[in-house]
């Protein structure tokens, strides 16, 4: 059950947590101590919240969908600290990539300057020969996604989850467009960078439970037009269940947006009818 | 003075609990709804205040309910606590202040909503004291 042995827990935290030690030591009414204490608390909040979100998103994949509400706005120092924590955890983890995308997006909203773009999570930034390179391209529009069976039949959405029949070949598509769609899966995307008419975006799919052919696909398009679709195919498994698919969108080498698509795999209706007849 | 704290997050809660205890409060900590209602059923009237998080696991109590993304469970707990303890102050301590159920709760009497990031444990103690004082005045 969820009741806690508080004294034991506190002792454990006190022994192994330098941030917690600093927080406890910084007591009193001295303004400097109070300011430092607040800074330590913010760091503790960032670390503890991210750990909590990773754990909740792993046990309840849909939790990730609510995270955009929890990530602070207009606080670039804290966002950058969170980004450093996320990128040190595990870059291969789809949830980490998703949170990094949200953080990058918030940072770019705080500091729309080229300096800020350079400070974000740029895997190539440490590579020799690319000092201070900034390759972001200005773009404002919408990242959209759809799910269909391979014969083109769109998946039905129930409570935000795409329903797909077992064993069917399926395709998840993603594209960018300047206008806000009237319906479907979409999210706003804004990139601050060099202003030019044609832009290049990269698209990757990531899912811990379904098999995809991994690799980045690129689209080069006029920023006032709809990009071509990027499709990722997979076969729905034979077992029913819900799966979370992450679509990561890159500009230059920077992750600028992640869309989360939930799909529910279930037996086709024909199977259910025949099962009930035989019963 | 006794407080029931309902929050799954162990790491941050340790600091809140410690600060509350050092300030003279007794704290029962439940990490999911079943444990919370076990405490409440055993003597809910003894609590002067409830501290409630928004993102909780459903437990057995809300297993069949609609608790999408886990952030709705706090709202279900809020409603049931209100039925059991209609006037006890509820402090919603959350990372998700924009959720629909929290916007609605904010308008109700004896409810205060604070963000975890903005509420250091020492500040939480002040908020708790003020809520308890206001209830006694009312």
């Amino acid at each position: 059950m969820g009741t806690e042995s508080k004294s034991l827990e506190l002792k454990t935290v006190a022994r192994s947590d330098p941030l917690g030690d600093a927080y406890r030591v910084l007591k009193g009414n001295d303004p400097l101590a109070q300011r430092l204490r607040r800074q330590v608390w913010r760091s503790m909040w960032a670390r503890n919240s991210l750990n909590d979100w990773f754990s909740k998103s792993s046990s309840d994949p849909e939790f990730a969908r609510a995270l955009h509400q929890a990530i602070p706005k207009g606080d670039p120092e804290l966002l950058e600290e969170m980004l450093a924590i996320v990128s040190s955890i595990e870059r291969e983890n789809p949830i980490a990539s998703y949170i990094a995308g949200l953080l990058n997006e918030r940072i770019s909203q705080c500091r729309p300057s080229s300096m800020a773009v350079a400070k974000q999570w740029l895997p190539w930034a440490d590579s020799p020969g690319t000092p201070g390179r900034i390759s972001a391209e200005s773009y404002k529009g919408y990242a959209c996604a759809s799910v269909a069976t391979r014969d083109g039949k769109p998946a039905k959405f129930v409570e935000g989850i795409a329903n797909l029949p077992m064993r069917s070949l399926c395709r998840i598509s993603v594209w960018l467009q300047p206008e806000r769609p009237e319906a479907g899966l979409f999210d706003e995307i804004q990139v601050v960078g060099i202003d030019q008419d044609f832009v290049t975006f990269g698209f990757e799919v990531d899912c811990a439970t379904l098999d995809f052919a991994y690799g980045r696909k690129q689209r080069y398009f006029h920023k006032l037009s709809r990009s071509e679709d990027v499709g990722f195919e997979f076969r729905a498994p034979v077992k029913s269940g819900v799966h979370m698919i992450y679509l990561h969108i890159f500009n230059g080498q920077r992750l600028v947006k992640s869309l989360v698509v939930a799909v529910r795999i279930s037996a086709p209706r024909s199977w259910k009818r025949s099962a009930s007849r035989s019963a | 003075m006794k407080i029931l704290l309902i929050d799954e997050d162990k790491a941050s809660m340790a600091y809140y609990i410690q600060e509350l205890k050092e300030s003279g409060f007794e704290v029962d900590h439940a990490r999911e709804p079943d444990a919370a209602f076990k405490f409440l059923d055993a003597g809910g009237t003894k609590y002067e205040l409830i501290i409630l998080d928004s993102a909780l696991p459903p437990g057995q109590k809300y297993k069949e309910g609609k608790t999408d993304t886990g952030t709705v469970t706090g709202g279900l707990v809020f409603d049931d606590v209100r039925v059991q303890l209609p006037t006890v102050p509820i402090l919603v301590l959350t990372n998700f202040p924009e959720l629909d159920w929290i916007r609605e709760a904010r308008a109700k009497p004896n409810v205060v909503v604070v963000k975890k990031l903005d509420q250091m444990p020492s500040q939480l103690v002040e908020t708790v004291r003020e809520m308890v004082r206001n209830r006694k005045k009312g």
Side-chain angles (χ1 to χ4, degrees), chain B residues 21-132:
Chain B
K21 287 173 91 174
E22 285 174 1
S23 305
F25 293 96
E26 272 183 77
V27 185
D28 285 334
H29 183 197
R31 293 185 59 210
E32 40 81 23
D34 298 333
F37 285 99
K38 212 169 172 181
F39 278 127
L40 288 168
D41 293 341
T45 51
K46 69 192 174 188
Y47 293 113
E48 294 269 358
L49 185 131
I50 311 291
I51 301 174
L52 174 65
D53 184 22
S54 52
L56 294 165
Q60 289 300 313
K61 188 171 174 71
Y62 301 112
K63 205 177 171 184
E64 305 302 324
K66 184 176 164 9
T67 55
D68 50 329
T69 72
T71 50
V72 179
T73 314
L76 302 176
V77 174
F78 179 93
D79 291 341
D80 287 341
V81 169
R82 261 287 163 263
V83 170
Q84 210 162 329
L85 303 170
T87 61
V88 169
I90 301 179
L91 174 55
V92 181
L93 180 64
T94 180
N95 282 325
F96 300 86
E98 304 302 320
L99 293 172
D100 288 344
W101 76 262
I102 293 182
R103 285 172 195 250
E104 286 167 24
R106 208 186 282 266
K108 292 176 182 167
N110 283 321
V111 176
V112 169
V113 177
V114 290
K115 285 164 76 173
K116 286 180 179 175
L117 175 60
D118 298 340
Q119 199 80 174
M120 286 197 300
S122 53
Q123 293 170 302
L124 184 95
V125 169
E126 289 310 309
T127 309
V128 165
R129 283 194 177 126
E130 195 182 335
M131 288 179 76
V132 173

Side-chain angles (χ1 to χ4, degrees), chain B residues 13-27:
Chain B
M13 288 311 112
Y15 298 96
Y16 286 117
I17 290 168
Q18 187 181 31
E19 194 91 29
L20 285 163
K21 287 173 91 174
E22 285 174 1
S23 305
F25 293 96
E26 272 183 77
V27 185

Side-chain angles (χ1 to χ4, degrees), chain A residues 2-4 6 9-10 13 17 20 23-24 27 38 41 44-45 48 56 60 62-63 66 69-70 78, chain B residues 8 10-12 14-16 18 22 27 29 31-32 39 55 69-70 95-96 99 116-118 120-121 123:
Chain A
T3 53
E4 292 299 316
K6 274 100 59 182
E9 188 178 291
L10 285 173
V13 170
D17 182 5
Y23 179 81
R24 263 186 281 270
K27 287 200 167 178
R38 170 153 291 283
W41 175 251
M44 285 166 66
W45 176 87
N48 294 343
K56 285 192 171 113
D60 171 14
E62 285 193 59
F63 180 80
Q69 294 187 30
L78 183 65
Chain B
E8 193 190 16
K10 265 202 295 195
S12 298
Y15 298 96
Y16 286 117
Q18 187 181 31
E22 285 174 1
V27 185
H29 183 197
R31 293 185 59 210
E32 40 81 23
F39 278 127
T69 72
N95 282 325
F96 300 86
L99 293 172
K116 286 180 179 175
L117 175 60
D118 298 340
M120 286 197 300
Q123 293 170 302

Side-chain angles (χ1 to χ4, degrees), chain A residues 47-103:
Chain A
R47 180 199 60 186
N48 294 343
S49 298
L50 286 167
N51 281 334
D52 188 43
W53 297 344
F54 272 106
S55 139
K56 285 192 171 113
S57 299
S58 304
S59 59
D60 171 14
E62 285 193 59
F63 180 80
R65 286 177 151 189
L67 282 180
H68 67 277
Q69 294 187 30
I71 292 177
K73 293 175 186 168
D75 195 339
E77 286 78 18
L78 183 65
L79 291 165
E80 280 174 10
E81 188 171 347
M82 294 172 79
L83 195 55
I85 296 169
V86 170
S87 46
S88 71
I89 293 175
E90 197 184 343
R91 287 197 183 178
E92 299 304 313
N93 181 323
I95 295 163
S97 300
Y98 175 69
I99 294 175
L102 288 173
L103 292 166

